[in-house]
Amino acid sequence: MRAAIIGGTGYGSIELVRLINKHPFLEIGSVVSNSQSGSSFSGIYPHLSEIIDQPLEKFDADTLSENNDIVFLATPSGVSSKLVPQLLKSGIKCIDLSGDFRLRSMEEYETWYKHKPADEEYLKQAIYGLSEIYPDQIKSSNLIANPGCYPTATTIGLIPILKTNLADEKSIIIDAKSGVSGAGRGLSLTAHYSEINENLKAYKLGAHQHIPEIEQVLSDESGNPITITFTTHLVPMTRGIMCTIYVNLKEEISTKKIIDLYKQFYQESHFIRVRPEGNIPSTKEVLGSNYCDLGLHVDERTNRLTIVSVIDNLVKGAAGQAIQNVNLMNGWDERTGLTDIPMYP
Amino acid sequence: MRAAIIGGTGYGSIELVRLINKHPFLEIGSVVSNSQSGSSFSGIYPHLSEIIDQPLEKFDADTLSENNDIVFLATPSGVSSKLVPQLLKSGIKCIDLSGDFRLRSMEEYETWYKHKPADEEYLKQAIYGLSEIYPDQIKSSNLIANPGCYPTATTIGLIPILKTNLADEKSIIIDAKSGVSGAGRGLSLTAHYSEINENLKAYKLGAHQHIPEIEQVLSDESGNPITITFTTHLVPMTRGIMCTIYVNLKEEISTKKIIDLYKQFYQESHFIRVRPEGNIPSTKEVLGSNYCDLGLHVDERTNRLTIVSVIDNLVKGAAGQAIQNVNLMNGWDERTGLTDIPMYP
Amino acid sequence: MRAAIIGGTGYGSIELVRLINKHPFLEIGSVVSNSQSGSSFSGIYPHLSEIIDQPLEKFDADTLSENNDIVFLATPSGVSSKLVPQLLKSGIKCIDLSGDFRLRSMEEYETWYKHKPADEEYLKQAIYGLSEIYPDQIKSSNLIANPGCYPTATTIGLIPILKTNLADEKSIIIDAKSGVSGAGRGLSLTAHYSEINENLKAYKLGAHQHIPEIEQVLSDESGNPITITFTTHLVPMTRGIMCTIYVNLKEEISTKKIIDLYKQFYQESHFIRVRPEGNIPSTKEVLGSNYCDLGLHVDERTNRLTIVSVIDNLVKGAAGQAIQNVNLMNGWDERTGLTDIPMYP
Amino acid sequence: MRAAIIGGTGYGSIELVRLINKHPFLEIGSVVSNSQSGSSFSGIYPHLSEIIDQPLEKFDADTLSENNDIVFLATPSGVSSKLVPQLLKSGIKCIDLSGDFRLRSMEEYETWYKHKPADEEYLKQAIYGLSEIYPDQIKSSNLIANPGCYPTATTIGLIPILKTNLADEKSIIIDAKSGVSGAGRGLSLTAHYSEINENLKAYKLGAHQHIPEIEQVLSDESGNPITITFTTHLVPMTRGIMCTIYVNLKEEISTKKIIDLYKQFYQESHFIRVRPEGNIPSTKEVLGSNYCDLGLHVDERTNRLTIVSVIDNLVKGAAGQAIQNVNLMNGWDERTGLTDIPMYP
């Protein structure tokens, strides 16, 4: 199968290229970048030299459909809402890595993203691609809204406890930390080396656009409307997300029992590794891989559960989960092309 | 005044040397390191070449007292509890940077530090050296228990809101992040470059020895016993601590009012900078300086206060606050020798 | 084929595990660590959780030979010289990643490594595993001395020019820079995070044990005895080596011609990427991959050639080249299992 | 004395502010930034909060002269050549941190900087502010061309050996490595965090604009025209420059004798620390300070001298040397305000 990539010069695209290259059933088809069309891909990214030297193309829905079997959109927010309708009409399936099709509520989208949402018709078709939770809907979908990096780490960490009656749902606090690649390749002072290196920075307090996405999923899974406190931090490293999540427990329960409950919940999920008691994952332990690792600890002094959830933001938080979804859509083993051991150290 | 330093080869000592060197009324006296006595200081730390080439000395309380006017102890926990009694008897004032004299309860010390506490007699004499909160007691003390790095950032961030009736005291969560220099110069895998670089690691969940110290101060200041949830993380940078602190508010109040309240509380405190609304400090903005910067944000959706408190762990979190305490003890302006602008970038 | 790894807890081993796992014809057999035998591998390296949970074994040559088809030795210098004879006798082929079998001269080994060399009998059997230069000898060997990281980057950069008559062979200077993982997992101040982070350090000036190895290869290839000046630096990053190499040219020649000459020399070598004029590779452009990228520039003002050669020290500089050699030994395409695109960013 | 700073929002300016703040005889006067005039300084640089909250001003030569006693220009190249004439006419002394007045040859300037040079009249007035080498000329000057960062480290390292008859002057190679702050605060991909972190990059091979500056000084000091090979590298750290310099020796001489010669040469220079045999400085050992540390090693196998010269690029390589020059111009001890111990770790 030939896979096209739109948004060819961002970090999401480049990670898709890396993963498609090692997938046994996928090959790289068209790579689209309107701003750089005509340039050679390896001219912009020299690490691709002698591997992928093809020129970047201009967007054209029909040509793309003819020459490819599936399309990944790794575009800034507000772009794929315009391209996806054309692509679906031309008969090709779409995996959108941006936020454009993740929120069901058009009002919420406009409030948090500050521009026009996608058309209702397409929002209704879109399936939220949290692979471990919605595999069946993903299988039969033409349009996947691939989850955000923070929402992936957060919801995988929280859903099992919300499925019990143990969590005080008003008490959820997510202290999230991300490497700088999450900010993309666009130049800005907040990704300028000398400003960020040897620095730890909190940003967008209570204002991050991933908040409504997380709340939508958690509310769906819990059955009750959930409002969270969510703080994001920029950590001086390139890749990796850690969400440290706090939930008050409504009754006393041991760390061991919580771990059993999580292991049970994720027993079929190859990419979720629930760590044993006393073993808390760090971000480097999933570097370059599609794993989401979970560490769990009940503080007996306060009867509060701490969940530590780590992913590689560019893999399980973006390109890797997109590939996992393509695997599901095609009835392949969800691990196909994603079996790499994390790169350590 | 001549200042002796015990524990001469650790990062706390080396930072004391840097700060004493620029203090107008202090000069470096004896530097004690039993394990390396006889070696030249600049042989171990070449950045001191041609500045401080004196040999390291063996510990002897009487000689120290004769040749110096004040002693800083920057020793591992369990050491100063043995040295301080001899030093006080020989008539010299002590600033202890370790945890040995911080906890009033001998039981708590033994529980969290896993070895014998200091003698009760000396514990009673010790004054907790949180400079902004206890200046009068510090002035008249012979033995200062200099606060830990995490407790400094945390308590400065929390005390003003605890002094009101606004905080739900059962709801306090501290998500703390530290640079690696906090782990000291002792070799261990958790400070091994290739393990820590490009990695974010949570550690000692609910088990950090600074928990009872924080709870002691917060309970004292609040008037009620306070139990916290406290999680520590290791961030791939050398210096800097950020505590992101969450407190439920018992009534609705705006971010602006909270900021006014904090500015009022710290109006005489030169080293506490309360940032205006929308301005959240990052760790590099206090690098190398004695500042503790505070950012405040009320999340109106959950009526929860987020406090971001940053310090340089080796300055306000250790050597800098020790110098500030010496300033207070001698009736000097608390800023003496500590007026450096943070080093940026 | 089952591949055993001896020296199971070092970074070389862990990288072998990562690469063997993605090799279509190899699987991980025994993992030997005398110091940690009995422990589970993923207990020591949690990134292996649920992937490789097998226990570490004690060394026994016969058991290893029975249960495996090939052995990689990733042990400290001075160890494999003792183990290899037993292994060869038990009938299994060995790839040694240490320096023990690289130098033909026993005197040189003793001078630079400061301990006893391997037995002459085995030194004579050993083939130096610089894959691009000695593919035929490697094919028919039972004992590969896998090249050091610095020698790999240096010799690949220098051999083409030495094969011409253009180079002043007395003028060779190699200014080498390495990430910290090259120092291994053993604890030391020179790999202690706070000492190395934000620091650049020159070390072992004129005294690095890779000097005789480089000189042996260069002299072999040139036909004349070559003596180099070689300086090593530690760079605050985990992976990557750059050798910036300076050679005086005996006649005027353009950068373009030099590049053509190198492209010609390496036209069959899939892992050597000679960059076009004006394009100088950086270490991250080969991260995690088996590539060695070369940038070339003639300074017309001084008629001196500058060669910039970059590798990932743990891949092309260790485990990757070892796999490439196994591919050659088995008559497989040299790229088998090594086709990953570098991880960027 | 009131010191004005022009170019207020760059890293050079911010470092001048840090150093002026701790100078006993200087205070910060006007801070000029045409692009940001009217903004508060601490709004742009929050680390200055409550320390320097004054607004940035527009450039006006007469107002500046009235309100200040000296002017530092920390502007991009091509700017100070236009401002300095106005400032000198209005009667105020100038320290220019850009390259505009460093090259005597107008042709060379145009060749390397690709725009118009300063007027000849002012070029002739300018004194090259390499403090250790030209103290007398600096004393009596109205216009200092403050040296570049690479030229400072390089020339301090080379001048002593060039003053002997030992060096083969055709053989000089400088392998230079810099932290990223040298690239300034302007946004570009080469200072974008995810591109530079965990990466080592060679750039501008044989084309760096500091080459003619270095050659001018070395030729002056040697008495013969000197042409160098100069390669620059970007190292993933914020501050610090290391120049590793190679020179062939015309006769055999021991490392010890070279060190003696250097110690003799710099015996009056407080900021030059010549290290003893076997002791090679690293960049962190001068962090935040005005020191230039030198390590020396003769490779007996090739009779080649290796000189390792380290500075903090923003201090001795820019703002610190500028202050040192002001000290000289005013007849103050050259160390005034510059006695800080390097910040370690």
Side-chain angles (χ1 to χ4, degrees), chain C residues 278-293:
Chain C
N279 184 329
I280 304 295
S282 66
T283 59
K284 202 170 191 165
E285 290 165 8
V286 298
L287 179 68
S289 83
N290 200 48
Y291 289 105
C292 174
D293 283 12

Side-chain angles (χ1 to χ4, degrees), chain B residues 157 160-161 258-266 274 294 296 307:
Chain B
I161 193 73
I258 295 280
I259 288 174
D260 288 347
L261 188 155
Y262 271 71
K263 277 191 178 286
Q264 175 89 20
F265 190 91
Y266 285 123
V274 180
L294 299 175
L296 298 152
I307 305 159

Side-chain angles (χ1 to χ4, degrees), chain D residues 72-283:
Chain D
F72 295 97
L73 295 105
T75 45
S77 74
V79 174
S80 54
S81 58
K82 285 164 202 143
L83 305 184
V84 158
Q86 306 173 49
L87 289 163
L88 289 180
K89 274 174 204 153
S90 75
I92 193 162
K93 293 183 178 185
C94 296
I95 321 279
D96 180 27
L97 281 78
S98 86
D100 280 12
F101 294 93
R102 294 182 197 150
L103 299 184
R104 286 192 300 267
S105 157
M106 298 171 76
E107 292 71 30
E108 289 265 297
Y109 184 90
E110 216 161 334
T111 303
W112 293 88
Y113 283 87
K114 324 273 184 215
H115 51 245
K116 287 265 165 219
D119 281 355
E120 203 172 358
E121 176 191 350
Y122 294 97
L123 284 176
K124 280 184 179 156
Q125 285 184 44
I127 295 297
Y128 189 73
L130 191 60
S131 320
E132 278 73 17
I133 308 299
Y134 307 115
D136 296 331
Q137 297 94 311
I138 291 165
K139 255 170 231 182
S140 52
S141 171
N142 290 329
L143 171 55
I144 300 291
N146 212 58
C149 48
Y150 287 125
T152 296
T154 300
T155 58
I156 289 176
L158 271 167
I159 288 171
I161 193 72
L162 292 182
K163 290 292 194 184
T164 70
N165 209 17
L166 290 163
D168 171 358
E169 297 181 342
K170 289 196 188 325
S171 72
I172 299 171
I173 294 174
I174 299 139
D175 192 280
K177 299 103 178 163
S178 176
V180 185
S181 62
R185 210 188 197 206
L187 301 180
S188 81
L189 261 190
T190 53
H192 194 61
Y193 187 87
S194 300
E195 303 282 320
I196 292 307
N197 181 42
E198 289 293 289
N199 198 0
L200 178 63
K201 203 181 176 71
Y203 69 104
K204 289 194 190 176
L205 268 73
H208 198 287
Q209 71 277 10
H210 284 168
I211 291 175
E213 181 181 341
I214 294 170
E215 290 180 347
Q216 175 179 286
V217 177
L218 296 185
S219 301
D220 283 358
E221 293 305 303
S222 144
N224 305 312
I226 287 185
T227 307
I228 58 171
T229 288
F230 182 71
T231 310
T232 41
H233 302 77
L234 212 52
V235 178
M237 59 186 192
T238 301
R239 289 174 180 236
I241 276 183
M242 176 182 287
C243 291
T244 311
I245 306 170
Y246 301 94
V247 194
N248 292 350
L249 296 173
K250 292 195 285 193
E251 46 186 271
E252 285 191 22
I253 182 169
S254 69
T255 297
K256 200 192 155 309
K257 279 200 179 143
I258 295 279
I259 289 175
D260 288 346
L261 189 155
Y262 271 71
K263 277 191 179 288
Q264 175 89 18
F265 189 91
Y266 286 123
Q267 62 184 332
E268 314 269 295
S269 300
H270 304 101
F271 293 117
I272 315 298
R273 301 190 294 190
V274 180
R275 295 294 183 84
E277 195 164 354
N279 184 329
I280 304 295
S282 66
T283 59

Side-chain angles (χ1 to χ4, degrees), chain B residues 9 38 67 87 90-91 106 127 228 297 341 344:
Chain B
T9 60
N67 298 334
L87 289 163
S90 76
M106 298 171 76
I127 293 298
I228 58 171
H297 174 75
I341 291 180
Y344 194 93

Side-chain angles (χ1 to χ4, degrees), chain A residues 328-345:
Chain A
L328 292 172
M329 290 162 86
N330 286 285
W332 304 328
D333 185 316
E334 67 170 350
R335 289 167 292 189
T336 313
L338 294 169
T339 52
D340 270 12
I341 291 180
M343 196 166 90
Y344 193 94

